[in-house]
Amino acid sequence: MSVSYKDQYQQSIENPEQFWAEAASGLEWIKPWDKVLDDSRKPFYEWFSGGEINTCHNALDRHCSAGRGGQAALIYDSPVTGQVITYSYDELLDQVSRFAGALRGCGVNKGDRVIVYMPMIPQAVIAMLACARIGAIHSVVFGGFAAKELATRILDAGPALIVSASCGIEGSKVIPYMPLLEQALAIADTQDMPRILVSRPELPVDDLHPSALLWDQAMEQAEAVPCVPVAATDPLYILYTSGTTGEPKGVVRPNGGHAVALKWSMDHIYDVQPGEVYWAASDIGWVVGHSYIVYAPLLHGCATILYEGKPVGTPDASAFWRVIEQHKVSCLFTAPTAFRAIRREDPEGKLLKQHDIGSLKTLFLAGERCDPDTLHWAEKQLEVPVIDHWWQTESGWAMAANPMGIEPLPIKAGSPTVPVPGYDIRVLDDEGEEVPRGDSGNIVVKLPLPPGTLPTLWGNQQRYFDTYLSRFPGYYLTGDAGVLDEQSYLWVMSRIDDVINVAGHRLSTGALEEALSTNRVVAECAVIGVEDKLKGEMPLGFVVLNAGTTVDQATLKAELVQTVRSQVGPIATPRDILVVARLPKTRSGKILRGTMRKIADGKDYKTPATIEDPTVLEEIASALED
Ligand code: COA
Ligand code: AMP
């Protein structure tokens, strides 16, 4: 008899050890755990302590031994280079075990960090799995980040080696990676860092640094190596994410809990069976890419698609339908912004009618709130359930979703449905009291968090505690605000910090402000996220110039936009930069970004009682009108 969502959820909260031990039995363990949940160091928890596992073994070797070796594992579909390459499980295992040997040959050992700064090419996935194979910890840096962001991550992770490529391809643009990499290594003062580089035909590596080895050479010389046992609690990867300050946070992902949670999610959330084709149209630089391009589909024995293209422009708004038809995709996962882009170009869905997408069972959306309009449009076009689900880099997998593999629940547009088993989600007021159902407040998760979630920040347990656990003792602070309704549906309304979400990319306004402040004429500045029809939000900058400065404003704006692009990355390009005489502040000097945002979005706002000078708000409104 099938178990209802309510029963499964209840079991996961009341008896988490039994619940997750059962889920863990679907994987192969080198040594069984001593304790499913180690709560001896509250508020820090560990899952499957004492256990030993290897994530790569469970993602590849296990399936090859079980007779899945000839099945497609990785389908590289690249409209920007005109290639489709399919790797079977056997072929992927061969590549990964040889690249693991290459890493070893370069002196990379268990526990060492490896930075992966790569476009969406198979070598990126191979490098990640190869790290997992030898117990090295990968840290993938999104290709759209500029040199300074890469340097920050190099400095924090302290890698033994970097894997990169000569270029990325964004639509029709070739983006050279080498200047960015060399600049980052110079900023981090690590110019001699060993690196392995993929030389792409679109822009071959011409001047090989003495510390660099080409991918093909490295593979030729390498011998395949077996998986090493790692502790379930050892990190599989570090993924940096934006917080309130410009300093990114290194989210740590442990091997054991991660494998258990992701495999469980494929059955229970996504309702996908081994052998089916799963497509997360995201980027390996983001958590969605880590979890649902690489690890979850492979842990589950699915074929996963690595798509090097865009929803539009590669070549047009039918790109997604072509991929679904060609590879018989049964589950698609992307960000709402991708669907807004498709809709903008093909509002009637005419291009869709030219394709047979009958293999598609479900569309999952995440990365930002899905507006009901986009949800309904996607439902109408695709004629399959469209599921908004809510999660973040820190959790690594969905915290609220419609559990399609347990019991599909009625969809309420605008809500990511209900808490996922394992997540005891509550809504608290600022004093830490639970608010009545239907009222809004801080969305938190009662500890312990389930397996797969972050146990700490890389090298900074104190920052982990301060950021997530200290505000409401006994709860994890998600950073989102919202409502739990009478039927336990969650409504995620806004962030409580200065994080903004641009086209599903999470950015810190602090990092953008740091970039603007580097200009010698800028006395102070503020960046806010304003509503955008395509990207959800876009950054908008306000700058106050040093007294007596005379500059051509158009030239200055162009210069400042360029500064943000080169220091943070092109994905953070501000919609505009406004020069203002003053910024609205509280009497204690805090910039009133929330009020500025409401003015910019044309929403009603109250003049805060703590404001130093209310007339500044009128100045901001008038700058926005101009
Ligand atoms: N490497 C280098 N540059 C990159 C990049 C990457 N991986 N990704 C984006 N950029 C650049 C783009 O080329 C663009 O540069 P430009 O300003 O010089 O033209 C800039 O960053 C902004 O890119 P983007 O935010 O992608 O906007 P866009 O207008 O090019 O495309 C969308 C709009 C909606 C099509 C696109 O944002 C998209 O596909 N979004 C889906 C997002 C997604 O998958 N998010 C993952 C979370 S699940
Ligand atoms: P990231 O860590 O980049 O995945 O960003 C996580 C943040 O994106 C969350 O904390 C939310 O603010 C937002 N987010 C992600 N998915 C959703 C969703 N389905 N609904 C609302 N907000 C979302």
Side-chain angles (χ1 to χ4, degrees):
M1 197 182 73
S2 65
V3 185
S4 70
Y5 156 73
K6 216 168 152 204
D7 288 346
Q8 284 235 15
Y9 182 75
Q10 216 58 35
Q11 283 169 21
S12 77
I13 301 300
E14 281 166 12
N15 205 343
E17 297 205 55
Q18 189 189 331
F19 187 89
W20 291 113
E22 223 167 87
S25 64
L27 294 163
E28 286 179 4
W29 293 79
I30 298 161
K31 176 175 171 288
W33 51 87
D34 300 326
K35 258 187 108 31
V36 181
L37 175 64
D38 180 356
D39 60 359
S40 59
R41 290 185 315 119
K42 283 180 188 165
F44 307 108
Y45 297 83
E46 282 186 333
W47 287 96
F48 307 107
S49 56
E52 286 182 359
I53 192 166
N54 184 285
T55 299
C56 179
H57 170 85
N58 277 287
L60 298 178
D61 307 56
R62 180 168 67 95
H63 302 306
C64 295
S65 314
R68 216 175 263 289
Q71 181 208 297
L74 178 68
I75 303 169
Y76 167 57
D77 186 307
S78 169
V80 296
T81 61
Q83 293 178 89
V84 174
I85 303 173
T86 300
Y87 296 76
S88 67
Y89 269 95
D90 278 341
E91 287 163 342
L92 191 58
L93 173 59
D94 172 62
Q95 295 281 310
V96 168
S97 48
R98 281 206 286 136
F99 192 65
L103 289 175
R104 271 274 177 74
C106 292
V108 177
N109 288 308
K110 186 168 160 176
D112 286 345
R113 274 79 58 211
V114 173
I115 294 265
V116 177
Y117 184 56
M118 297 276 260
M120 290 280 287
I121 55 177
Q123 289 90 339
V125 177
I126 292 167
M128 291 165 77
L129 290 163
C131 288
R133 193 165 187 85
I134 57 170
I137 303 164
H138 62 69
S139 186
V140 180
V141 179
F142 176 59
F145 277 130
K148 185 169 164 281
E149 293 290 322
L150 175 58
T152 311
R153 287 155 175 79
I154 293 172
L155 282 168
D156 195 70
L161 182 138
I162 294 190
V163 186
S164 190
S166 56
C167 65
I169 304 169
E170 275 294 299
S172 55
K173 285 180 294 186
V174 172
I175 316 269
Y177 271 34
M178 288 305 102
L180 295 169
L181 178 62
E182 294 306 329
Q183 204 188 331
L185 291 167
I187 299 171
D189 199 15
T190 50
Q191 286 92 332
D192 293 331
M193 169 88 55
R195 42 249 205 214
I196 299 182
L197 307 174
V198 177
S199 182
R200 302 189 76 184
E202 293 77 13
L203 184 68
V205 174
D206 57 356
D207 184 16
L208 200 62
H209 190 277
S211 305
L213 196 60
L214 290 178
W215 178 282
D216 292 344
Q217 289 172 337
M219 286 295 259
E220 261 167 39
Q221 296 160 14
E223 274 185 33
V225 294
C227 292
V228 304
V230 298
T233 50
D234 278 347
L236 168 68
Y237 69 76
I238 307 166
L239 180 58
Y240 287 87
T241 191
S242 304
T244 297
T245 68
E247 200 65 30
K249 297 177 288 197
V251 168
V252 168
R253 191 82 57 215
N255 274 276
H258 172 255
V260 172
L262 291 194
K263 180 151 183 6
W264 183 90
S265 76
M266 290 299 277
D267 274 325
H268 297 87
I269 297 179
Y270 300 98
D271 192 24
V272 170
Q273 309 309 315
E276 287 191 276
V277 182
Y278 188 94
W279 179 23
S282 176
D283 189 288
I284 46 136
W286 304 116
V287 68
V288 171
H290 279 63
S291 296
Y292 291 100
I293 295 176
V294 184
Y295 288 108
L298 296 177
L299 285 164
H300 200 50
C302 290
T304 183
I305 295 185
L306 181 74
Y307 175 68
E308 191 182 28
K310 296 260 177 187
V312 292
T314 56
D316 56 27
S318 72
F320 276 23
W321 323 140
R322 194 268 303 159
V323 173
I324 294 170
E325 179 176 26
Q326 187 167 340
H327 305 299
K328 308 262 175 299
V329 172
S330 67
C331 183
L332 169 63
F333 179 167
T334 191
T337 189
F339 266 75
R340 289 197 291 268
I342 296 170
R343 181 185 182 181
R344 197 170 64 167
E345 304 233 330
D346 183 19
E348 310 293 326
K350 287 189 182 128
L351 294 169
L352 176 57
K353 295 191 180 74
Q354 297 163 16
H355 292 272
D356 173 5
I357 60 158
S359 59
L360 190 71
K361 294 194 301 190
T362 331
L363 166 67
F364 281 86
L365 298 170
E368 53 175 324
R369 177 172 179 266
C370 183
D371 53 287
D373 206 26
T374 303
L375 185 107
H376 293 315
W377 184 82
E379 281 174 336
K380 185 167 166 240
Q381 300 301 326
L382 304 181
E383 297 175 343
V384 298
V386 178
I387 310 297
D388 179 14
H389 60 331
W390 169 70
W391 52 302
Q392 47 186 203
T393 306
E394 290 85 343
S395 66
W397 60 293
M399 300 191 284
N402 198 331
M404 297 303 282
I406 303 174
E407 178 194 357
L409 298 172
I411 291 167
K412 292 191 194 181
S415 161
T417 321
V418 291
V420 165
Y423 290 96
D424 189 352
I425 295 179
R426 310 284 177 103
V427 178
L428 306 182
D429 64 19
D430 286 347
E431 277 65 53
E433 293 300 319
E434 232 172 290
V435 302
R437 286 289 164 121
D439 283 7
S440 91
N442 301 284
I443 307 177
V444 297
V445 185
K446 192 167 186 290
L447 296 175
L449 290 169
T453 52
L454 83 172
T456 189
L457 291 175
W458 178 251
N460 207 337
Q461 180 95 321
Q462 189 61 45
R463 191 176 179 200
Y464 169 65
F465 177 79
D466 294 344
T467 310
Y468 302 107
L469 307 182
S470 66
R471 173 91 190 267
F472 301 115
Y475 298 91
Y476 163 81
L477 186 72
T478 66
D480 284 314
V483 171
L484 264 176
D485 74 13
E486 294 290 346
Q487 285 86 36
S488 293
Y489 277 59
L490 186 70
W491 301 80
V492 182
M493 311 310 290
S494 58
R495 290 286 305 186
I496 59 168
D497 53 16
D498 296 323
V499 164
I500 59 172
N501 201 312
V502 180
H505 307 319
R506 173 166 159 186
L507 301 171
S508 146
T509 53
L512 275 73
E513 288 173 3
E514 268 177 30
L516 294 178
S517 307
T518 58
N519 191 297
R520 66 198 148 64
V521 302
V522 172
E524 59 176 343
C525 63
V527 173
I528 57 171
V530 290
E531 283 175 7
D532 183 82
K533 276 206 164 76
L534 174 66
K535 297 188 177 184
E537 278 185 303
M538 274 197 86
L540 177 67
F542 294 83
V543 291
V544 178
L545 306 186
N546 287 318
T549 308
T550 44
V551 283
D552 172 51
Q553 288 208 4
T555 313
L556 176 68
K557 280 183 187 184
E559 212 177 276
L560 290 171
V561 166
Q562 193 44 45
T563 307
V564 171
R565 288 173 63 90
S566 60
Q567 291 198 17
V568 183
I571 47 162
T573 306
R575 177 193 279 173
D576 200 358
I577 309 247
L578 305 178
V579 178
V580 291
R582 301 177 295 170
L583 294 171
K585 289 185 189 165
T586 61
R587 282 187 285 275
S588 60
K590 195 170 174 291
I591 297 171
L592 291 161
R593 291 186 186 77
T595 314
M596 291 168 79
R597 192 194 155 125
K598 283 196 178 130
I599 299 174
D601 287 341
K603 296 213 169 111
D604 291 342
Y605 67 93
K606 283 201 193 100
T607 303
T610 53
I611 195 165
E612 192 183 28
D613 178 355
T615 59
V616 190
L617 295 180
E618 287 154 33
E619 292 169 22
I620 295 292
S622 116
L624 284 159
E625 270 166 29
D626 295 346

